[in-house]
């Protein structure tokens, strides 16, 4: 039955919509090799830390891809968030998680926390697009995962339609923590899909800093180039 379905509805690459061949999964070999992987966790050049300098202190920061409009990465993020391709989240987490396991500094992380969706958006979408990403990284590093500490206390407008300044202002005061004891003194790795202005990370950091003695790092699927 499954083979018959694939005959009439063959699997397509989530990046270019071309047909996948035997052995390919979600993204075709050509697109996988063409995607702009950042390798920020292996270099001293770090645009995430530069973007957030003076706004929040980060121990470590990395992104899997660089993001440009009308690119394969934009297509992938769009499919993940708006076309129910939730499985891409885990795919990206496995990819980045495998790279992070090669670096001893990421073994200092204690817990992975996803940037939360507001409950209304979560109900509408049906899933948090960064949950699979965070869980896969947590599994790769052998660390815990928690989506019960940080929450989004107010809904914000869809960020894609706002300019950079408004995006940042909208989200900075949108987050809070439910409790401050379980992660006291821990190293938290915050995960998200895309960094543009850094406002979401800054807002989450302000909330998480209510937890005594934490260290904060960030890992995202993509950063605007």
């Amino acid at each position: 039955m499954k083979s018959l379905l694939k005959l009439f509805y063959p699997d397509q690459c989530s990046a270019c919509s071309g047909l996948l061949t035997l052995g390919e999964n979600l993204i075709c070999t050509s697109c996988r090799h063409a995607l702009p992987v950042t390798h920020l966790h292996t270099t001293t050049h770090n645009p995430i830390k530069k973007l957030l300098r003076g706004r929040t202190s980060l121990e470590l920061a990395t992104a899997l891809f660089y993001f440009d409009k009308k690119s394969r990465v934009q297509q992938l993020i769009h499919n993940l968030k708006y076309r129910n391709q939730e499985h891409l989240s885990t795919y990206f987490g496995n990819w980045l998680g495998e790279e992070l396991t090669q670096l001893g500094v990421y073994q200092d992380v204690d817990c992975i926390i996803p940037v939360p969706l507001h409950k209304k958006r979560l109900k509408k979408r049906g899933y948090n697009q960064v949950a699979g990403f965070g869980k896969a990284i947590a599994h790769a590093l052998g660390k815990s995962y928690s989506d019960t500490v940080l929450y989004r206390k107010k809904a914000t407008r869809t960020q894609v339609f706002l300019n950079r300044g408004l995006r940042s202002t909208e989200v900075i005061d949108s987050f809070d923590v439910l409790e401050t004891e379980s992660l006291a003194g821990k190293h938290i790795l915050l995960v998200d899909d895309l960094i543009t202005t850094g406002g979401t990370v800054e807002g989450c950091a302000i909330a998480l800093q209510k937890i005594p003695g934490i260290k904060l790092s960030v890992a995202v699927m993509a950063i605007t180039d």
Side-chain angles (χ1 to χ4, degrees), residues 89-175:
S89 186
T90 300
Y91 184 94
F92 297 148
N94 287 333
W95 187 339
L96 184 58
E98 184 177 352
E99 294 191 12
L100 299 186
T101 59
Q102 310 303 314
L103 304 171
V105 288
Y106 279 88
Q107 287 303 316
D108 184 55
V109 169
D110 296 297
C111 182
I112 286 79
I113 290 181
V115 169
L117 293 181
H118 188 268
K119 59 184 178 181
K120 290 182 179 179
R121 185 162 294 171
L122 180 60
K123 183 178 181 180
K124 181 178 180 180
R125 183 171 295 162
Y127 58 92
N128 182 340
Q129 71 273 9
V130 298
F133 182 66
K135 290 175 182 177
I137 291 175
H139 179 75
L141 295 176
K143 306 298 180 179
S144 64
Y145 172 88
S146 176
D147 59 6
T148 59
V149 174
L150 182 66
Y151 75 100
R152 193 182 289 255
K153 62 186 180 181
K154 65 179 183 180
T156 55
R157 290 174 287 176
T158 301
Q159 300 295 291
V160 71
F161 299 114
L162 303 179
N163 65 42
R164 294 177 71 90
L166 284 175
R167 288 184 195 184
S168 185
T169 304
E170 278 277 305
V171 299
I172 286 175
D173 191 40
S174 298
F175 303 94

